């Protein structure tokens, strides 16, 4: 009986150790997140979390930026890789919309960036199609 009490007591003291390890993992994840200060027109500035872009998302961005003539296709070092030229083109696109970032180079995308790019891309595409007809 004495051994059972000792085993239960030992388990009781090990539980906080496991809980402490899981909080350390969460803190590391939070530190890895990248946030950027964004100022939208007629709104207060806000911190936005940049999502790490997948190669597919970057390629989609690059194709649309080339179509909008914001990015020269010869500037792209590797399709699907977020490089300095793509980053500069995205910042240029955003500045046209009046959105400013406290950054010279982006390391990811926000959902707002994706939405504004799609809006400009499809608007330009419809306008080009209407001109042809």
């Amino acid at each position: 009986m004495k051994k059972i009490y000792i085993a239960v007591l030992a388990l009781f003291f090990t539980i906080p150790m496991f809980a402490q390890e899981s909080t350390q993992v969460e803190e590391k994840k939070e530190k890895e997140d990248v946030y950027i200060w964004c100022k939208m027109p007629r709104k207060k500035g806000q911190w936005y979390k940049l999502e790490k872009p997948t190669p597919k998302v970057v390629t989609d961005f690059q194709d649309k930026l080339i179509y909008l003539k914001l990015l020269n296709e010869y500037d792209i070092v590797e399709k699907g890789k977020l490089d300095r030229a793509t980053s500069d083109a995205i910042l240029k696109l955003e500045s046209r919309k009046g959105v400013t970032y406290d950054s010279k180079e982006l390391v990811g995308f926000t959902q707002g960036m994706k939405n504004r790019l799609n809006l400009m891309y499809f608007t330009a595409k419809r306008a080009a199609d209407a001109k042809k007809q």
Side-chain angles (χ1 to χ4, degrees):
M1 193 71 170
K2 191 175 183 182
K3 289 181 181 179
I4 294 174
Y5 287 125
I6 292 172
V8 170
L9 190 61
L11 284 174
F12 182 72
F13 285 116
T14 57
I15 291 172
M17 253 181 18
F18 293 122
Q20 189 177 19
E21 286 177 12
S22 65
T23 56
Q24 288 173 349
V25 171
E26 289 173 13
E27 286 175 8
K28 284 182 183 177
K29 284 183 181 177
E30 287 178 14
K31 288 179 184 176
E32 290 174 2
D33 293 341
V34 178
Y35 289 86
I36 190 167
W37 182 255
C38 172
K39 183 89 172 69
M40 300 284 286
R42 297 178 299 281
K43 291 186 181 177
K44 289 184 178 179
Q46 191 173 353
W47 288 100
Y48 284 104
K49 181 180 171 187
L50 290 177
E51 299 171 8
K52 197 169 189 177
T54 61
K56 182 182 176 189
V57 172
V58 177
T59 302
D60 184 50
F61 249 87
Q62 289 171 335
D63 291 341
K64 288 176 180 173
L65 290 168
I66 288 169
Y67 181 86
L68 294 171
K69 297 175 181 67
L70 291 171
L71 179 64
N72 187 348
E73 58 188 314
Y74 303 110
D75 291 340
I76 299 171
V77 177
E78 187 181 332
K79 268 286 199 213
K81 183 180 178 189
L82 183 59
D83 57 358
R84 184 63 190 249
T86 307
S87 175
D88 288 347
I90 293 166
L91 290 171
K92 189 182 197 181
L93 167 85
E94 294 288 272
S95 67
R96 285 185 179 180
K97 285 285 188 181
V99 182
T100 56
Y101 295 97
D102 188 22
S103 174
K104 300 285 182 220
E105 190 169 359
L106 297 174
V107 293
F109 304 133
T110 64
Q111 190 58 47
M113 288 177 191
K114 294 177 190 174
N115 295 344
R116 286 186 292 278
L117 174 73
N118 284 329
L119 181 69
M120 283 185 77
Y121 172 73
F122 289 113
T123 303
K125 202 166 187 170
R126 278 195 299 273
D129 291 343
K131 268 188 182 178
K132 286 180 184 177
Q133 293 175 355

